[in-house]
Amino acid sequence: MPLDRLLLRTSTVNKMISRNSFIASKPDPSKPNMLRVGLAFGSTAVLWALLFKQHRTDVHEYKTRNGLQ
Amino acid sequence: MGLLPDEAKVLPPPGIVNRNSLWFGLCGWATAMLHNSLNRRPALKAGVHRQALFITVGWFIGYHLTKYENYKYATLDRDMKEYMRLHPDVFPEKEPKTFAEIVEPFHPIR
């Protein structure tokens, strides 16, 4: 199968990855991809929560192991 | 502590705000701003979610890197002290000298 025929699939299958000139569009800043924005802020919140939890655990471990509390 | 052994928990943990976190957070922010600039968007005002995410990732990596660094330095100190304890002949206690004994006599040429 010639490579061109295989590449025809890309327009329907992976619009995100391929930049086929027939279906490409300029990214529009006035219409943000809310899913991506939500995921970004969500993972930010998750990471901060993980960090604070880890810090709290570390402080507790340090105190118990050194007999301070 | 994925890459740290259990004994590392005896060490005091770094604060949330620590040098490595600040630096990596700043690097993450710079990356996000560079990403904006290279895509011809306003550097500071665009993609705030991306800036926040990159800063957070940098901060997180910095915190764990500080913990790892503290452990590595603590093991080095422990090994050094143990060596000094086992070889006291190589580390003689020296009498502290005053400056008067060390400094050469002063002959002013006026």
Side-chain angles (χ1 to χ4, degrees):
Chain A
M1 207 188 220
L3 192 58
D4 296 352
R5 283 203 170 261
L6 285 172
L7 283 172
L8 278 172
R9 285 263 173 189
T10 59
S11 62
T12 43
V13 170
N14 52 352
K15 279 199 178 164
M16 299 272 254
I17 302 168
S18 77
R19 294 281 297 171
N20 188 334
S21 60
F22 297 108
I23 53 98
S25 61
K26 268 172 71 131
D28 186 7
S30 63
K31 286 203 274 269
N33 182 348
M34 273 330 217
L35 178 69
R36 244 199 283 173
V37 169
L39 277 175
F41 277 128
S43 38
T44 305
V46 161
L47 278 172
W48 278 114
L50 273 175
L51 183 69
F52 274 95
K53 216 155 50 113
Q54 178 72 54
H55 181 68
R56 189 187 272 241
T57 318
D58 292 343
V59 168
H60 183 257
E61 279 280 349
Y62 168 69
K63 283 187 174 163
T64 44
R65 274 167 195 251
N66 286 315
L68 293 168
Q69 205 153 309
Chain B
M1 298 209 196
L3 24 75
L4 285 176
D6 206 41
E7 60 174 358
K9 292 189 181 154
V10 197
L11 295 170
I16 291 278
V17 176
N18 61 76
R19 202 171 52 150
N20 286 327
S21 281
L22 277 169
W23 180 251
F24 277 79
L26 194 72
C27 287
W29 196 23
T31 310
M33 287 202 281
L34 191 71
H35 189 267
N36 281 341
S37 305
L38 292 175
N39 285 306
R40 299 170 57 83
R41 293 191 293 250
L44 275 172
K45 293 199 274 193
V48 183
H49 64 292
R50 199 175 293 114
Q51 290 177 34
L53 183 64
F54 285 17
I55 293 175
T56 308
V57 168
W59 202 279
F60 192 83
I61 293 174
Y63 177 80
H64 286 279
L65 197 71
T66 308
K67 265 212 295 199
Y68 186 73
E69 177 195 12
N70 287 349
Y71 173 67
K72 280 292 164 196
Y73 278 133
T75 42
L76 282 173
D77 288 343
R78 183 180 59 187
D79 295 342
M80 182 182 78
K81 284 210 153 55
E82 187 62 24
Y83 182 84
M84 283 170 75
R85 191 180 68 86
L86 291 170
H87 300 82
D89 45 320
V90 197
F91 301 97
E93 285 274 336
K94 278 202 271 212
E95 294 255 328
K97 284 191 189 165
T98 63
F99 255 89
E101 292 162 31
I102 301 170
V103 167
E104 288 177 8
F106 180 51
H107 302 294
I109 299 168
R110 299 205 170 108

